[in-house]
Amino acid sequence: MFHSRFFLYAIFVLSAFGGCAAIPKNDIESQKLRFARPIDKVLDGQWEDTLKKREPLTSPDPTKPPVSDDVNLRVMVDGWTAKVFLLESGKWIEVMPDSFKIMRYSTNATAIAINASGDEQGGWVESWAILMTVKNDDEILTEWIRVVNNLGPAEPTVAQTFSMGAVGRMHRIEP
């Protein structure tokens, strides 16, 4: 009798107290274990790397093969703002300054921008999307997408529509 009561008491104590220590009180608490930075700040900072180009659906110039160069990308995230840069001829050039909007939740963010020039007789419209998720404090998984629509009349060396995409890991850099 004594042994069975002791056994029941031991099970109660272990399940009541031992199990609680292993279960986080809420999701934010469990994220603190994975990231050194607060979860709402883990994406903030400057990220940079070369993303591997995906096979584009079409080429900007229909007389040539699709552009297959990888994309050297830098993204600066600060709260609800984002700046995007491309490396061209050894210099970082900001893409669509002050145009990117960012949506974010916890470890994920999407930066989007639309740019246009001209009118429906000879202009163009371009959309960019950069999708990011945090792998750890110093690395994010990133998808880059660009689609363009040239609105003017068809020309032999200008595709009316084309798209590009790239994927890879970007690393935190100190400004």
Side-chain angles (χ1 to χ4, degrees):
M1 177 88 169
F2 174 74
H3 292 294
S4 62
R5 281 188 189 169
F6 178 75
F7 180 73
L8 289 173
Y9 180 73
I11 297 234
F12 169 76
V13 168
L14 289 174
S15 64
F17 300 107
C20 290
I23 299 171
K25 291 182 182 175
N26 58 45
D27 192 31
I28 303 253
E29 203 170 292
S30 67
Q31 293 297 331
K32 287 181 185 175
L33 303 174
R34 184 167 164 204
F35 304 112
R37 292 174 171 80
I39 198 73
D40 61 335
K41 301 284 186 199
V42 74
L43 261 169
D44 288 352
Q46 191 165 298
W47 304 91
E48 181 180 304
D49 221 313
T50 301
L51 303 181
K52 299 292 181 195
K53 184 73 77 77
R54 293 183 185 267
E55 185 174 324
L57 298 176
T58 53
S59 174
D61 181 344
T63 64
K64 296 180 180 172
V67 178
S68 61
D69 297 337
D70 291 338
V71 178
N72 294 304
L73 192 68
R74 175 185 286 170
V75 179
M76 296 169 62
V77 177
D78 184 13
W80 294 96
T81 62
K83 292 180 181 269
V84 177
F85 301 81
L86 286 177
L87 186 62
E88 294 182 7
S89 302
K91 291 179 66 176
W92 288 104
I93 308 297
E94 187 173 3
V95 179
M96 296 185 247
D98 302 319
S99 295
F100 277 90
K101 307 295 180 210
I102 192 166
M103 297 176 291
R104 62 188 288 178
Y105 180 79
S106 186
T107 58
N108 289 26
T110 302
I112 58 171
I114 297 177
N115 197 9
S117 179
D119 59 20
E120 60 272 359
Q121 302 305 315
W124 51 266
V125 180
E126 175 175 10
S127 302
W128 281 40
I130 300 162
L131 292 79
M132 302 164 274
T133 189
V134 177
K135 187 168 176 66
N136 57 53
D137 282 301
D138 296 313
E139 187 176 31
I140 60 175
L141 181 61
T142 307
E143 292 263 354
W144 169 80
I145 303 164
R146 175 187 181 209
V147 294
V148 177
N149 193 323
N150 290 302
L151 303 173
E155 295 180 31
T157 60
V158 178
Q160 287 190 296
T161 60
F162 66 91
S163 69
M164 300 177 178
V167 65
R169 290 187 171 101
M170 297 177 72
H171 296 88
R172 184 182 301 277
I173 60 169
E174 297 303 320

